[in-house]
């Protein structure tokens, strides 16, 4: 059995998560440009948890939150968890785990929708076994299950039509069309988990602070925490994440942890609902920091107009190309960081 060395914050590395809108390449820049150098930060829409991870590395006390269970398990596994690592024999135990027909029936809806029936058999075992694990072992294993589910799907999201999934998982078609066979789409879930196990274990480290992960609506998350030094916002903007629930909602449904949340993906109500978040947030912090892409709509001007009602606003700009933006748009993209210093 392989032994793992618990990482320190100085050499811990963020694992492969595959989350659309992830700020992995921007997280260091974002944290370096926060208005404080230490203290408590609430990451309200943590998504892939890359910013929360960088905050933890830089010595902040982190409150990671996301309404999606798919994000919450990552937060529990590598943000809140300071020391627990997953043993490799857990995978074999999961594959030998006997489930009832009633348990298996809970996964039937995935057949010929996201995965082939024989793949669903394996997934049902893995998910069912994960529920028998304790605390951070469970969340690490479920984070790895999430990674495996995403890795097997074209475009790393769960709302691709089945006919396209079948087509793109045909390795000869993929090679002819894109020059790559993408064999990883056809690997077993358990093979993906084995491949990523070391990396996820190596992402576990202790920064000496009590970090927490929540699965709450944005308003509830802000109400839940004590006063913090910074509230960081990276919401699912209408123009970039308008399929927010569809991208990873199937994972939440698999585990039975889907929750309702404030609507920030509808352009018609985005600013109104964002202001609801701001109204609650200004009571809990001195600084609110918001990330957005320069192509987001509503854009920075509209957001700054809302911010300016509550304090002094500054904006930073950083060149960044987004994978989802298309080749013709990549050179025009910037990441914007708006900081509100509350009155």
């Amino acid at each position: 059995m392989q032994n793992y060395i618990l990482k320190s914050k100085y050499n811990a590395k963020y694992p492969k998560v595959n989350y659309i809108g992830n700020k992995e390449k921007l997280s260091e820049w974002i944290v370096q440009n926060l208005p404080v150098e230490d203290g408590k930060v609430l990451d309200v829409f943590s998504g892939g948890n890359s910013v929360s991870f960088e905050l933890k590395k830089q010595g902040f006390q982190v409150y990671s939150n996301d309404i999606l269970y798919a994000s919450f398990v990552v937060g529990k596994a590598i943000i809140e968890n300071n020391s627990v690592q997953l043993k490799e024999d857990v995978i074999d135990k999961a594959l030998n785990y006997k489930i009832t027909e009633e348990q298996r029936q809970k996964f039937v809806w995935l057949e010929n929708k996201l995965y082939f029936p024989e793949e669903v058999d394996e997934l049902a075992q893995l998910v069912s076994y994960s529920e028998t694990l304790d605390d951070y072992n469970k969340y690490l294993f479920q984070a790895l299950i999430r990674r495996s589910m995403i890795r097997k799907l074209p475009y790393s999201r769960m709302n691709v039509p089945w006919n396209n999934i079948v087509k793109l998982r045909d390795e000869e078609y993929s090679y002819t069309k894109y020059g790559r066979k993408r064999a990883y789409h056809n690997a077993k879930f358990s093979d993906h988990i084995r491949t990523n196990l070391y990396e996820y274990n190596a992402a576990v480290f202790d920064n000496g602070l009590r970090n927490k992960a929540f699965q709450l609506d944005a308003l509830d998350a802000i109400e839940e925490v004590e006063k913090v030094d910074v509230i960081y916002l990276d919401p699912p903007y209408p123009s970039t994440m308008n399929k927010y629930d569809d991208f990873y909602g199937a994972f939440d449904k698999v585990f039975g942890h889907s929750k309702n949340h404030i609507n920030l993906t509808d352009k018609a109500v985005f600013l109104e609902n964002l202001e609801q978040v701001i109204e609650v947030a200004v009571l809990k912090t001195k600084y609110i920091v918001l990330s957005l892409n320069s192509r987001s709509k509503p854009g920075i001007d509209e957001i700054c107009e809302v911010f300016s009602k509550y304090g002094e606003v500054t904006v930073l700009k950083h060149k960044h190309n987004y994978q989802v933006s298309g080749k013709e748009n990549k050179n025009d993209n910037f990441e914007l960081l708006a900081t509100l210093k509350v009155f």
Side-chain angles (χ1 to χ4, degrees), residues 21-37:
N22 202 0
K23 293 290 194 290
E24 179 181 2
K25 294 180 180 179
L26 290 160
S27 59
E28 187 174 355
W29 175 76
I30 290 168
V31 175
Q32 286 176 347
N33 285 285
L34 292 182
V36 298
E37 294 183 357

Side-chain angles (χ1 to χ4, degrees), residues 177-192:
K177 181 84 173 172
Y178 302 104
R180 288 193 297 156
K181 289 194 173 184
R182 292 188 170 94
Y184 51 84
H185 290 324
N186 295 312
K188 293 181 178 180
F189 292 105
S190 53
D191 289 342
H192 283 298

Side-chain angles (χ1 to χ4, degrees), residues 50-153:
S50 58
V51 173
S52 284
F53 190 82
E54 185 64 28
L55 285 164
K56 185 178 177 182
K57 281 186 68 175
Q58 297 302 323
F60 288 88
Q61 184 172 351
V62 186
Y63 299 109
S64 165
N65 176 74
D66 202 283
I67 194 63
L68 290 179
Y69 190 70
S71 297
F72 171 70
V73 296
V74 178
K76 293 289 280 189
I78 64 172
I79 306 301
E80 184 174 310
N81 177 21
N82 285 332
S83 61
V84 175
Q85 295 180 319
L86 196 67
K87 294 181 179 179
E88 192 168 357
D89 63 358
V90 167
I91 302 168
D92 293 322
K93 289 177 181 178
L95 293 174
N96 290 318
Y97 186 65
K98 303 298 182 184
I99 64 173
T100 65
E101 181 57 30
E102 182 180 359
Q103 286 175 301
R104 175 62 177 79
Q105 284 300 310
K106 294 178 182 178
F107 300 86
V108 168
W109 62 275
L110 288 166
E111 293 181 4
N112 301 324
K113 178 178 172 65
L114 291 179
Y115 309 106
F116 294 107
E118 63 275 14
E119 294 176 319
V120 176
D121 288 339
E122 182 192 21
L123 183 60
Q125 280 185 295
L126 295 169
V127 171
S128 299
Y129 181 75
S130 76
E131 299 289 5
T132 72
L133 297 173
D134 294 329
D135 206 15
Y136 297 123
N137 281 300
K138 178 177 79 170
Y139 293 116
L140 266 169
F141 197 42
Q142 290 182 351
L144 283 160
I145 291 172
R146 178 203 174 279
R147 165 70 176 161
S148 71
M149 291 175 68
I150 292 296
R151 189 65 171 152
K152 284 177 64 62
L153 292 172

